[in-house]
Amino acid sequence: MPVDILMPALSPTMEEGTLSKWIKNEGDAVKSGDVIAEIETDKATMEVEAVDEGVIGKIVIPAGSEGVKVNSVIAVLLQDGESADAISAPKAAPAANADTPAATTSGDAGGKARESSDEPTSVASEKVPAAPKTEVAADPDIPAGTEMVSMTVREALRDAMAEEMRRDGDVFIMGEEVAEYQGAYKITQGLLQEFGDKRVIDTPITEHGFTGIGVGAAMAGLKPIVEFMTFNFAMQAIDQIVNSAAKTLYMSGGQMGAPIVFRGPSGAAARVGAQHSQCYAAWYSHIPGLKVVMPYTAADAKGLLKAAIRDPNPVIFLENEILYGHSFEVPKLDDFVLPIGKARIHRPGKDATLVSFGIGMTYAVKAVAELEKQGIDVELIDLRTIRPMDLPTVIESVKKTGRLVTVEEGFPQSSVGDFIANRVHREAFDYLDAPVVTIAGKDVPMPYAANLEKLALPNVGEVVEAVKAVCYK
Amino acid sequence: MAPRKTASTSSRKTTAKPARNETIGSNSLTFTKEEELHAYREMLMIRRFEEKAGQLYGMGVIGGFCHLYIGQEAVVVGMQMAQKDGDQVITSYRDHGHMIALGMSARGVMAELTGRRGGLSKGKGGSMHMFSKEKGFYGGHGIVGGQVSLGTGLAFANKYRGNDQVSVTYFGDGAANQGQVYESFNMAALWKLPVVYIIENNRYAMGTSTVRSTAQSNFSKRGEGFGIPGVQVDGMDVRAVKAAAEEAIAHCRAGKGPYILEMLTYRYRGHSMSDPAKYRSKDEVQKMRSEHDPLEQVKARLLEQGWASEDDLKQIDKDVRDIVADSAEFAQNDAEPDVSELYTDILL
Ligand SMILES: Cc1ncc(C[n+]2csc(CCOP(=O)(O)OP(=O)(O)O)c2C)c(N)n1
Ligand SMILES: [Mg+2]
């Protein structure tokens, strides 16, 4: 059978090109790898190589033809012993262009104009399957009579890591100052003493490198906890987080993923200026392939960090320096694990829904208390997980209250609150009695001056006013 | 592992020693009377300024992070003595000394530390992020290693414009492990950019000593793979710093490309004001203070040469203290930025 030589695509976006020159002529013998023609694309002149051996039986598209469509037959190659008579008429579909007189030559292939190539692809789009819904289990029941102990978020995080490290020898922690210094914010206090320097590892200040090493180790099946001294410094490493950790499972067709936790403080501390004061909740929430957790209470910090370490996926665990020292009640249980992806109703209410997470909850909690005094009964939801987000809990609440305000410290554009507002408008529009209000940090780099820093952050008064506004009070 | 040169008297280099068979030239290690007096005053100014900043931090007048330069004064003062107007300077968050040495006003620096409108960044940058276009000071950078590529870019601009200015780019021993440092080294060498890389090796990156963070703790060799010459310099001796700086800057100005100066130095205080510094012994700090203090070295020479009397030195100290006290006074009484500043300077 004679073999068709097709117009090759020489770049991912090429649809057609000019066949500028034939290097071989009819009757020439060619071996695979021989250059047979030159084609021009809008970017470059490229050589076409023969793939098979044989004799050029017929040149279908003459030199100089423009607008030759990718995959149209440009020549026919005869195999051993075949004669040109064996060539049947080439299929008509792909066509050469007739713009130039020289191009209108032999074969039925000529004469077809290139109009169609500029048309957009068909309007009748293929049906995109709906994203699957995942059910997230509710929080485990805490048995009646369980002792509650008061502990700081700092201690809760440390205990969570220590418990998981005792449970699983593949869990280790690495980062700057995590071992001998006991953690820049003392979250890893005592871990080096208990687990030794094989599992509690001080790294040089090389975020991009050690993050890649962590992801590689996770791909090999270990379960690293990578501590960033603060998430501001993870920007050095964000490529490995997004391009390697988040995408490997998908790119490998499910063969391998990265069971890794990236944790550390995110957001503003106090007076540390623009480069050290960013909230990364919205940033990472943008990325499919990541889970993003941002707890407020010590109990959630503990239960969710344990879950994050056990999770087979990369989990971004956003803490907050100011919250480290806050104390909360934590149930004293041997193995307290909470579900990632489940919001917690911090306080039920009927007049308006207030949604927040992480440090944002500190404003929300104070605002709710103030609003209670003013006779407004707010339902406060702590998202706890930003991705996957528990929108059903938010929407259920909005259906009840008809009003929604969100609070976060991050920048306002494309914020977590913006995403929630959009979803609520789409899924519960008819239930809304007022437009959703989103409160965020101001749209400015964090200033250093005390007065400006205060203005740049959200404040309780803003939250109170927003809730009153949506309640038309 | 090759033992790291420590700062003990015996192993500490007193002269800038050439690497890669380059000779350091005949730059004199002796200072004239004027040079000694100048260096003394400048270093004293930095020290007193930093002591005051530490005090104000303790009072809660300065917030956030505050990284003091005490102990490292000879590095920036010696470098400055070899620079000329138009050369650019860029460094990390440990930047107060660099600004003082560049002649930026003590009031402007201190008021930035307190976040007031008279500060060099109008109170919006803070201790770690200060700049002065006028003095060619390109910051004050909070992200470890970030300034190294930026400093290389300043050198790129010099080459592009064909001027003979040199970018003086400082970073720490910890920063020297960041990947972008080596990406920058490669391009600086490839394009022969006029940049002096000054690695201020004060032996610690927060609580991590260089021995615990690097397999090659001779930082002057870090450019070898790219053909960048480098030398180790006694960074506690302002004369050695100046001599090495002259050599390195001349190399850059002559169009020969980048140069690395590893300054063996020491910080007396914790990494920042909030660091208890438990990772090193009190003896280690005391030994550096008593045997290698950059100011004491100059002071001893001044007295020995009869170039200054105790009284003269007291007078210098008084003058310096007055300037620092004035800056502290100003920085505490100056107003905070106007609230309208919140939304300014974001875009042009
Ligand atoms: C990318 C990045 N990682 C971590 C930090 C936190 N950090 C600030 S200073 C510092 C130590 C730097 O040490 P070195 O480079 O030796 O400079 P020195 O403080 O000794 O002057 C660290 C880890 C940071 N600011 N930026
Ligand atoms: Mg250092």
Side-chain angles (χ1 to χ4, degrees):
Chain A
M1 274 285 283
V3 178
D4 289 344
I5 299 176
L6 305 177
M7 179 73 172
L10 297 174
S11 80
T13 52
M14 175 175 164
E15 289 179 357
E16 59 179 34
T18 299
L19 205 165
S20 44
K21 188 167 162 194
W22 279 104
I23 310 279
K24 299 283 183 185
N25 295 312
E26 287 182 4
D28 286 356
V30 297
K31 291 200 306 293
S32 59
D34 284 355
V35 176
I36 55 173
E38 277 180 13
I39 61 178
E40 258 171 50
T41 68
D42 51 350
K43 298 186 195 91
T45 301
M46 313 275 287
E47 292 174 337
V48 182
E49 289 179 7
V51 180
D52 300 295
E53 254 175 50
V55 172
I56 307 262
K58 188 177 177 65
I59 285 178
V60 180
I61 307 288
S65 304
E66 290 179 13
V68 182
K69 291 257 184 133
V70 164
N71 277 341
S72 55
V73 177
I74 55 173
V76 181
L77 194 68
L78 298 171
Q79 311 287 80
D80 254 3
E82 288 171 348
S83 87
D85 303 340
I87 302 168
S88 57
K91 290 140 244 155
N97 179 21
D99 273 0
T100 53
T104 42
T105 50
S106 61
D108 315 336
K112 274 243 175 178
R114 66 166 175 221
E115 316 97 74
S116 62
S117 73
D118 286 332
E119 281 175 12
T121 46
S122 164
V123 202
S125 68
E126 273 178 57
K127 185 125 180 63
V128 179
K133 289 202 164 49
T134 40
E135 281 300 314
V136 180
D139 283 22
D141 288 329
I142 294 172
T146 300
E147 188 192 339
M148 298 298 278
V149 284
S150 170
M151 65 167 75
T152 60
V153 171
R154 173 178 281 114
E155 291 160 341
L157 293 167
R158 196 257 331 271
D159 288 359
M161 288 191 285
E163 287 177 23
E164 292 307 299
M165 288 177 79
R166 278 173 214 136
R167 190 176 163 268
D168 184 346
D170 283 344
V171 178
F172 68 95
I173 175 154
M174 64 193 232
E176 292 159 23
E177 309 286 1
V178 298
E180 292 199 8
Y181 200 80
Q182 307 282 299
Y185 297 102
K186 300 284 175 280
I187 308 302
T188 50
Q189 185 112 44
L191 296 186
L192 173 68
Q193 284 65 25
E194 180 173 351
F195 300 102
D197 61 7
K198 181 182 170 201
R199 298 180 67 195
V200 185
I201 304 161
D202 276 327
T203 62
I205 311 170
T206 49
E207 288 84 3
H208 196 190
F210 72 69
T211 300
I213 288 172
V215 176
M219 288 164 73
L222 295 182
K223 294 168 188 157
I225 304 170
V226 170
E227 174 175 309
F228 291 115
M229 194 176 283
T230 82
F231 262 93
N232 300 287
F233 315 143
M235 283 211 280
Q236 300 281 326
I238 200 164
D239 174 72
Q240 291 290 16
I241 298 174
V242 173
N243 265 330
S244 304
K247 297 176 183 171
T248 298
L249 184 66
Y250 199 80
M251 296 189 300
S252 69
Q255 295 177 74
M256 65 175 75
I260 187 168
V261 176
F262 302 104
R263 50 156 291 274
S266 160
R271 309 284 310 279
V272 293
Q275 293 184 329
H276 282 62
S277 307
Q278 278 193 101
C279 173
Y280 289 89
W283 287 61
Y284 290 109
S285 81
H286 194 61
I287 309 300
L290 293 179
K291 292 188 175 184
V292 184
V293 176
M294 187 159 158
Y296 162 55
T297 69
D300 288 347
K302 182 168 183 195
L304 288 167
L305 183 52
K306 282 168 66 82
I309 295 168
R310 289 182 201 185
D311 200 287
N313 299 292
V315 181
I316 306 283
F317 198 90
L318 302 170
E319 302 160 8
N320 184 280
E321 193 189 328
I322 291 168
L323 289 179
Y324 282 152
H326 286 212
S327 292
F328 297 87
E329 300 283 286
V330 179
K332 193 170 176 185
L333 292 169
D334 284 344
D335 197 18
F336 178 63
V337 184
L338 289 170
I340 291 177
K342 201 82 189 162
R344 181 173 51 78
I345 298 181
H346 191 81
R347 174 196 191 276
K350 61 180 190 336
D351 295 336
T353 302
L354 185 56
V355 175
S356 192
F357 51 91
I359 183 97
M361 285 292 291
T362 56
Y363 306 97
V365 165
K366 286 184 191 139
V368 167
E370 173 59 29
L371 287 157
E372 188 176 13
K373 282 187 220 150
Q374 301 186 22
I376 300 176
D377 182 23
V378 178
E379 176 142 306
L380 175 55
I381 297 175
D382 179 355
L383 279 182
R384 306 194 291 189
T385 302
I386 315 296
R387 183 186 187 91
M389 193 183 286
D390 185 2
L391 284 163
T393 295
V394 175
I395 286 166
E396 271 321 296
S397 175
V398 171
K399 284 182 177 173
K400 183 171 72 175
T401 64
R403 299 153 208 280
L404 174 64
V405 173
T406 67
V407 194
E408 69 198 286
E409 274 195 355
F411 296 129
Q413 183 163 336
S414 306
S415 65
V416 175
D418 278 8
F419 172 75
I420 298 171
N422 170 283
R423 286 308 169 94
V424 167
H425 282 138
R426 271 159 56 174
E427 293 175 37
F429 187 74
D430 291 344
Y431 295 88
L432 283 174
D433 293 323
V436 177
V437 176
T438 59
I439 293 180
K442 305 303 177 293
D443 202 13
V444 303
M446 185 62 75
Y448 169 72
N451 64 332
L452 299 185
E453 185 185 60
K454 218 165 149 200
L455 294 174
L457 289 166
N459 63 62
V460 178
E462 282 172 345
V463 184
V464 169
E465 286 313 309
V467 172
K468 285 164 77 174
V470 297
C471 292
Y472 301 110
K473 296 240 165 104
Chain B
M1 194 195 308
R4 186 192 170 284
K5 291 283 176 216
T6 61
S8 71
T9 345
S10 55
S11 63
R12 187 163 270 279
K13 305 275 190 300
T14 46
T15 58
K17 191 164 160 256
R20 306 183 51 77
N21 298 331
E22 297 223 359
T23 45
I24 194 73
S26 56
N27 297 308
S28 167
L29 276 186
T30 53
F31 269 10
T32 62
K33 177 181 172 189
E34 285 64 39
E35 285 172 327
E36 294 280 28
L37 280 167
H38 171 82
Y40 184 70
R41 201 194 129 93
E42 289 296 293
M43 292 196 289
L44 191 66
M45 181 70 202
I46 295 172
R47 178 147 316 172
R48 296 285 175 258
F49 183 92
E50 293 290 65
E51 286 165 354
K52 183 58 90 181
Q55 191 189 357
L56 294 184
Y57 190 92
M59 291 158 58
V61 182
I62 296 172
F65 292 131
C66 185
H67 310 85
L68 303 182
Y69 198 62
I70 298 179
Q72 303 181 211
E73 298 91 343
V75 176
V76 76
V77 170
M79 285 303 305
Q80 188 60 35
M81 289 172 78
Q83 286 159 225
K84 70 171 194 186
D85 277 358
D87 291 343
Q88 304 107 327
V89 175
I90 189 166
T91 188
S92 69
Y93 44 82
R94 197 178 298 288
D95 54 0
H96 314 159
H98 301 68
M99 293 183 280
I100 298 290
L102 273 165
M104 287 150 74
S105 86
R107 279 185 170 203
V109 181
M110 198 67 95
E112 191 59 41
L113 297 185
T114 57
R116 305 303 168 95
R117 62 177 64 177
L120 282 158
S121 297
K122 304 182 209 163
K124 294 161 84 166
S127 163
M128 300 189 284
H129 317 110
M130 275 187 254
F131 305 80
S132 167
K133 191 153 189 200
E134 183 202 341
K135 301 284 183 193
F137 182 67
Y138 287 82
H141 295 270
I143 301 303
V144 169
Q147 78 275 17
V148 182
S149 308
L150 301 174
T152 309
L154 297 171
F156 180 92
N158 292 339
K159 171 121 197 219
Y160 189 90
R161 296 209 167 98
N163 62 33
D164 73 341
Q165 293 165 8
V166 172
S167 162
V168 180
T169 298
Y170 292 87
F171 53 104
D173 47 279
N177 296 321
Q178 284 284 36
Q180 61 180 313
V181 170
Y182 299 92
E183 299 179 20
S184 301
F185 279 6
N186 183 42
M187 287 181 274
L190 181 67
W191 297 331
K192 294 212 177 329
L193 303 180
V195 48
V196 182
Y197 294 113
I198 297 142
I199 304 175
E200 295 198 65
N201 180 359
N202 60 11
R203 300 206 221 166
Y204 296 91
M206 290 188 75
T208 305
S209 65
T210 51
V211 242
R212 294 206 300 118
S213 65
T214 175
Q216 169 53 284
S217 52
N218 182 333
F219 292 90
S220 69
K221 293 190 174 168
R222 290 289 186 97
E224 262 183 8
F226 308 98
I228 305 177
V231 294
Q232 277 188 326
V233 182
D234 179 353
M236 306 300 271
D237 181 351
V238 67
R239 301 169 305 171
V241 173
K242 176 171 174 274
E246 280 169 347
E247 187 72 23
I249 290 174
H251 175 95
C252 289
R253 276 204 227 288
K256 295 186 194 162
Y259 205 103
I260 294 172
L261 296 178
E262 178 190 354
M263 298 292 177
L264 299 168
T265 181
Y266 201 77
R267 69 166 152 73
Y268 293 176
R269 297 292 187 94
H271 166 73
S272 69
M273 290 300 295
S274 42
D275 170 25
K278 287 192 199 133
Y279 42 83
R280 60 184 187 186
S281 67
K282 288 231 162 20
D283 281 358
E284 179 182 305
V285 184
Q286 201 39 51
K287 197 167 158 60
M288 287 306 292
R289 277 178 178 274
S290 57
E291 295 174 17
H292 298 281
D293 186 71
L295 281 107
E296 290 302 324
Q297 293 185 41
V298 184
K299 186 175 180 177
R301 288 196 301 269
L302 280 168
L303 293 171
E304 198 180 278
Q305 297 284 340
W307 286 344
S309 66
E310 289 280 2
D311 280 348
D312 295 339
L313 297 178
K314 278 205 186 98
Q315 186 59 43
I316 295 175
D317 196 40
K318 186 179 174 308
D319 294 348
V320 164
R321 279 180 194 279
D322 285 349
I323 296 171
V324 170
D326 166 76
S327 75
E329 187 70 19
F330 174 76
Q332 291 175 84
N333 295 322
D334 190 27
E336 288 187 310
D338 191 82
V339 294
S340 66
E341 287 286 349
L342 184 63
Y343 282 104
T344 59
D345 306 321
I346 296 165
L347 289 172
L348 290 174

